[in-house]
Amino acid sequence: MNILLIFALYALNGSTVTISKIMLLYASPMMIIGIRMVIAGVLLFAYYRFIIGKKIKISKKLYPLLIQSALCNILIPYTLRYWSMQYLTATKTAFFYNLIPFITYALAIALGMDKVSWKKSLGLGIGFIGILPILISGSPIEELIGGISFISLPEAAMILSVISISYSWIVIQKIVRRYHISTFLVNGVNMLLSGLIALPISFLIESNHTITSPGAFTGWLFLNILITNFICYNMYAALLRHFSSTLIAFASLVMPFFAALTGY
C-alpha cells in the first residue's frame, strides 16, 4: 500500500475541521454528533449489508473492545472537540491533533505494542518543540473561558480529545488485526452506538434543539459524513493493516496546513 495515502487521509481530515466549525453555526454540539453519527452508522451498515453483500455478524467477545472504540474514538473526543471549537480557530484545533503522534507513541509503548526507538523519540521531540508556540498561544475568547496555568479550558478539552482518539486507534488496530473484522462493520458500530448515546445526552444537557437554516446544515452534514465517516475512517482502519499506529499518527503533522487553507 502506498504511503502517500496516509498524507491524502490527513489532507481530507484537515478540511473537515473547517466544515465542523461551520456546522456549529446551525446547531448545538451534542445534537450535531448524535444526528451525524446515527445517519453515518445506518448508511455504513446498509452499505455493508446490501452493497458488499455480507451479513452483519459480531462475536460477543468483541463487545468490550467495540464499546471502548465507540466511546474513545467518537463520543468522548467529538463531544470535547465540538465544545472547544466554539472558542478555538480551525487552524489551532488542527494543531492540537499534532499531539496524536506523541500520545500514540507513548500509549503504544506503555501497552507493549511498540518499542522505544531513539530515532522516533528524537523526531517526535523536535516536532513537539516546533508546535509549542501555537499550542501555548491564546486568544481573548479563550481567556474569558478561563483555564489552568497557560492552558485554557478549550485547549484542555482538545488535549483530552486527542488522548481519547490516540487510545482508540490502538484498540481498533487490535480489532482489525486480531479478529480480521471488516473496517466498515467496526466503524458502523462505533458511529451508530455513539450517536444513539449522544442524542439523549443532547436533550438532557443542551437547551437549544433547533436547527437554523436546515438546507445549509444538511448540505454540510452530508459532506462531512462523506469525507470523515466514509472515506477517512475507513482509510485509517485499512491503513492500520499495513502501517504502525505511530507512523500513521506522525503523518498527522500535515493536517493543520490543510485546515488553515480550507479555513482561509
Side-chain angles (χ1 to χ4, degrees), residues 5-27:
L5 286 173
I6 300 176
F7 295 98
L9 168 70
Y10 287 110
L12 289 169
N13 248 332
S15 69
T16 63
V17 177
T18 301
I19 294 172
S20 296
K21 197 167 179 65
I22 292 171
M23 289 171 65
L24 287 168
L25 299 173
Y26 305 113

Side-chain angles (χ1 to χ4, degrees), residues 1-9 235 238-239 242-243 247-248:
M1 183 172 282
N2 196 322
I3 198 170
L4 290 177
L5 286 173
I6 300 176
F7 295 98
L9 168 70
M235 275 182 70
L239 288 166
H242 303 277
F243 304 102
L247 174 63
I248 296 174

Side-chain angles (χ1 to χ4, degrees), residues 192-262:
L192 185 58
L193 181 58
S194 61
L196 290 174
I197 296 172
L199 281 175
I201 291 176
S202 170
F203 283 97
L204 285 172
I205 67 172
E206 293 178 330
S207 57
N208 183 18
H209 302 111
T210 58
I211 297 174
T212 58
S213 301
F217 175 80
T218 302
W220 289 113
L221 173 67
F222 278 95
L223 179 61
N224 210 348
I225 288 173
L226 174 65
I227 295 174
T228 306
N229 301 82
F230 272 84
I231 299 175
C232 292
Y233 270 89
N234 290 294
M235 275 182 70
Y236 206 130
L239 288 166
L240 284 170
R241 295 182 187 272
H242 303 277
F243 304 102
S244 72
S245 55
T246 305
L247 174 63
I248 296 174
F250 188 72
S252 69
L253 296 172
V254 303
M255 198 168 79
F257 298 104
F258 293 99
L261 181 64
T262 53

Side-chain angles (χ1 to χ4, degrees), residues 84-256:
S84 63
M85 284 182 69
Q86 297 174 98
Y87 311 103
L88 302 175
T89 64
T91 305
K92 189 168 186 178
T93 299
F95 261 104
F96 271 96
Y97 281 86
N98 281 357
L99 292 173
I100 289 177
F102 314 105
I103 297 170
T104 302
Y105 183 49
L107 288 174
I109 291 171
L111 296 172
M113 299 184 69
D114 205 342
K115 295 181 179 179
V116 177
S117 163
W118 71 267
K119 287 183 179 180
K120 286 182 181 178
S121 301
L122 178 62
L124 290 170
I126 293 170
F128 185 71
I129 293 170
I131 65 174
L132 268 179
I134 294 294
L135 296 181
I136 64 175
S137 64
S139 66
I141 192 167
E142 288 178 54
E143 292 172 3
L144 287 174
I145 301 300
I148 305 169
S149 186
F150 59 86
I151 299 177
S152 67
L153 287 180
E155 290 171 333
M158 278 303 304
I159 291 171
L160 291 175
S161 172
V162 170
I163 292 172
S164 182
I165 288 176
S166 299
Y167 173 73
S168 75
W169 286 119
I170 293 174
V171 174
I172 292 172
Q173 185 178 47
K174 186 185 295 185
I175 293 171
V176 298
R177 285 188 176 180
R178 184 177 299 177
Y179 298 99
H180 306 288
I181 187 172
S182 167
T183 55
F184 275 97
L185 194 53
V186 174
N187 288 325
V189 172
N190 285 351
M191 293 168 196
L192 185 58
L193 181 58
S194 61
L196 290 174
I197 296 172
L199 281 175
I201 291 176
S202 170
F203 283 97
L204 285 172
I205 67 172
E206 293 178 330
S207 57
N208 183 18
H209 302 111
T210 58
I211 297 174
T212 58
S213 301
F217 175 80
T218 302
W220 289 113
L221 173 67
F222 278 95
L223 179 61
N224 210 348
I225 288 173
L226 174 65
I227 295 174
T228 306
N229 301 82
F230 272 84
I231 299 175
C232 292
Y233 270 89
N234 290 294
M235 275 182 70
Y236 206 130
L239 288 166
L240 284 170
R241 295 182 187 272
H242 303 277
F243 304 102
S244 72
S245 55
T246 305
L247 174 63
I248 296 174
F250 188 72
S252 69
L253 296 172
V254 303
M255 198 168 79

